[in-house]
Amino acid sequence: MPILELSGAKRAVDSHGFTKKWGAIFRWGGVDTVVDWKEMYGEDHHAWQVDRSSFDAILLNNAEEQGVNVLEGARVERIDLSEAHPWVRWTDPEGVANEAQYSYLVDASGRAGLISAQYHHDRKSNEAFENVAIWSYWDRARPLPGTPAGGINSISTEDGWFWVIPLANGQWSVGYVTHRDVFREQRRRHATDDELLEHLIDAVPAVRELLAGGSRCARTRIEQDYSYMAGRFCGPGYYLIGDAACFLDPLLSTGVHLALFSAMLASACIVSTLDGTVTDEEARKFYEYGLRGTYVRLFTLVANMYERRADPQYYLRTARRLNRGSASSAEDEPSVRDFVDLSAGLADLRDLTGDDRWTRAVVDRFAAQAREEQVNSPHQPGTTPGGLNFYPVHSVPFDLAAPTDTGEVLQLVVDPALGLRRRPDGRH
């Protein structure tokens, strides 16, 4: 939400009519962990369950309203990444060829990965998450008892986990995620994807009961090979953002956070390079350091959740260790607040800006608006006995302020304008 407000799109998203979300229940290992944002942040703090096509259109329209020249239906045919005279060639919707030089190229091409997958060929799949997701939509369902309003239900099974998500107009998104080998074996036993999904639901009483009385109202869909990371996130004159740079896993809905976070971070790096605050090399170091650190920290949390589905306290303890700015002491019980700070992206924003005053101020401002309108290692990956690769907790760069060659660190600033700043590094 802080990034949406910074972009200018927050009010449009809030007024669109998306289902408002106040938390979740993770039924992990048969034990419910309730994430209630009202209890943590107050009555008026929420997020949304969005339809991505509508949500993305709002962001695109917001960019155009702020002066961006938007051309829909164009197709990039070729790019040149040379530092001397970089250029891009594309065809417009009428098929007319165009070519132009650029100062900075931002690759937001999603999973197509124009630069990483088609030019550098350095995209690497995450072997830890060789998962398949199968899902569809229901016209009626209900949440687990005690679910915060608009909240998601995440229910683990022996071989994977289900999501049950309320959307607008009484529709629900229901899906299952499991390892591709398990999926292939299950798929061979059923004639159609629809039959497979119905079988998977019937096999889990908790999910079956939530969908009782409803019916599937869309075709069954399948996605796979979606967990990956580009070998480099930027280079001279270009940045990769969102799914063009990396994608993790649907477990904690990290995709939108990584997309918005990387877009904000690339914007800050570019404007601070153009105004001379930092060099291009320093900005690129900051971007690589910040985005890769964020990805690895989320990777660690998600991997640990998969590793110990039978022990929900395990991922809460992991969240405590990963949350550098936790207000809790090491002796306290694992905190759901630490888990929320990480999964909602608040910890990333806090670490890049050096403190959490910005996120606190924005959250407080959201509450005031809502009341007025009535309406968050260097070490190599290890391997668990079960074969799941994961990054150990101590591999995560907790301090995302990237040191420069001059003994300073760079930090993100949002006031009075988005950019980077230099400050002396007290560690040197």
Side-chain angles (χ1 to χ4, degrees):
M1 293 179 83
I3 300 175
L4 281 177
E5 176 158 280
L6 187 66
S7 75
K10 188 263 178 184
R11 187 174 294 274
V13 173
D14 206 24
S15 63
H16 181 75
F18 295 124
T19 297
K20 292 183 178 180
K21 170 183 177 181
W22 274 273
I25 285 183
F26 289 86
R27 179 166 287 180
W28 223 242
V31 178
D32 286 358
T33 298
V34 180
V35 176
D36 191 330
W37 294 342
K38 288 186 180 181
E39 289 185 1
M40 294 180 189
Y41 303 111
E43 287 289 324
D44 302 309
H45 302 133
H46 64 83
W48 307 270
Q49 309 283 18
V50 304
D51 170 78
R52 278 300 301 272
S53 60
S54 300
F55 177 75
D56 292 357
I58 289 172
L59 300 187
L60 186 67
N61 292 337
N62 173 68
E64 190 167 29
E65 289 170 2
Q66 296 193 44
V68 174
N69 181 22
V70 173
L71 177 63
E72 297 187 68
R75 178 182 178 86
V76 173
E77 303 292 348
R78 188 177 174 187
I79 57 176
D80 187 299
L81 300 175
S82 63
E83 296 184 47
H85 300 287
W87 51 264
V88 57
R89 184 177 300 150
W90 77 96
T91 53
D92 64 22
E94 285 70 43
V96 178
N98 298 268
E99 185 174 307
Q101 287 190 316
Y102 59 84
S103 297
Y104 280 93
L105 177 68
V106 177
D107 184 352
S109 59
R111 286 177 63 181
L114 183 67
I115 292 177
S116 176
Q118 301 181 38
Y119 279 79
H120 288 160
H121 304 289
D122 64 353
R123 176 181 288 182
K124 301 296 183 183
S125 297
N126 261 319
E127 295 181 1
F129 298 137
E130 294 178 328
N131 293 334
V132 177
I134 177 171
W135 83 97
S136 190
Y137 297 91
W138 264 251
D139 59 5
R140 290 185 304 279
R142 58 188 176 88
L144 291 169
T147 302
I152 184 177
N153 290 159
S154 175
I155 303 170
S156 72
T157 69
E158 182 178 352
D159 295 317
W161 64 278
F162 272 97
W163 75 70
V164 180
I165 303 174
L167 303 174
N169 303 318
Q171 216 174 53
W172 293 69
S173 172
V174 181
Y176 183 67
V177 177
T178 189
H179 190 273
R180 65 182 183 187
D181 293 343
V182 176
F183 176 82
R184 289 169 180 169
E185 178 60 30
Q186 291 276 7
R187 185 63 185 84
R188 281 195 289 266
R189 301 175 185 175
H190 298 85
T192 66
D193 297 337
D194 294 341
E195 289 183 12
L196 171 57
L197 182 56
E198 291 170 5
H199 165 77
L200 292 169
I201 291 169
D202 287 340
V204 181
V207 179
R208 185 175 67 241
E209 291 171 9
L210 297 184
L211 303 184
S215 59
R216 185 171 52 80
C217 57
R219 67 180 178 87
T220 298
R221 309 180 186 195
I222 294 173
E223 287 285 350
Q224 59 185 336
D225 300 325
Y226 48 68
S227 183
Y228 56 83
M229 182 165 55
R232 66 200 104 167
F233 290 157
C234 57
Y238 68 88
Y239 286 82
L240 280 60
I241 67 172
D243 290 2
C246 56
F247 189 80
L248 182 56
D249 189 84
L251 179 54
L252 296 179
S253 302
T254 57
V256 170
H257 170 59
L258 288 170
L260 295 177
F261 180 79
S262 60
M264 175 195 65
L265 193 55
S267 300
C269 290
I270 291 172
V271 298
S272 293
T273 302
L274 293 176
D275 69 16
T277 300
V278 297
T279 67
D280 181 67
E281 183 179 5
E282 288 173 334
R284 287 188 280 113
K285 273 186 177 180
F286 184 83
Y287 186 75
E288 284 279 356
Y289 195 66
L291 182 55
R292 206 167 292 275
T294 292
Y295 184 90
V296 171
R297 180 154 60 179
L298 289 171
F299 182 101
T300 304
L301 180 60
V302 171
N304 277 262
M305 291 185 72
Y306 275 113
E307 182 189 9
R308 299 282 187 89
R309 282 192 291 271
D311 180 11
Q313 289 295 302
Y314 184 72
Y315 69 78
L316 294 181
R317 290 192 294 269
T318 299
R320 164 68 53 77
R321 297 170 65 189
L322 290 169
N323 189 10
R324 181 178 61 86
S326 174
S328 307
S329 68
E331 292 76 24
D332 292 342
E333 288 296 314
S335 169
V336 175
R337 178 64 178 266
D338 289 321
F339 176 74
V340 172
D341 280 354
L342 293 177
S343 59
L346 294 175
D348 300 323
L349 297 175
R350 178 202 63 219
D351 290 348
L352 279 175
T353 57
D355 59 49
D356 63 354
R357 285 177 293 180
W358 173 44
T359 51
R360 284 180 182 174
V362 170
V363 166
D364 289 343
R365 187 158 62 253
F366 290 163
Q369 291 173 355
R371 286 192 294 270
E372 179 182 347
E373 301 170 7
Q374 296 302 316
V375 277
N376 165 328
S377 151
H379 298 272
Q380 294 298 313
T383 303
T384 68
L388 175 67
N389 296 319
F390 73 103
Y391 286 88
V393 169
H394 56 262
S395 73
V396 180
F398 295 123
D399 189 352
L400 298 185
T404 67
D405 295 336
T406 60
E408 301 168 307
V409 296
L410 301 180
Q411 286 186 312
L412 179 73
V413 292
V414 296
D415 186 26
L418 178 65
L420 305 180
R421 71 169 181 178
R422 298 175 180 271
R423 69 165 174 80
D425 185 359
R427 296 170 298 175
H428 291 282

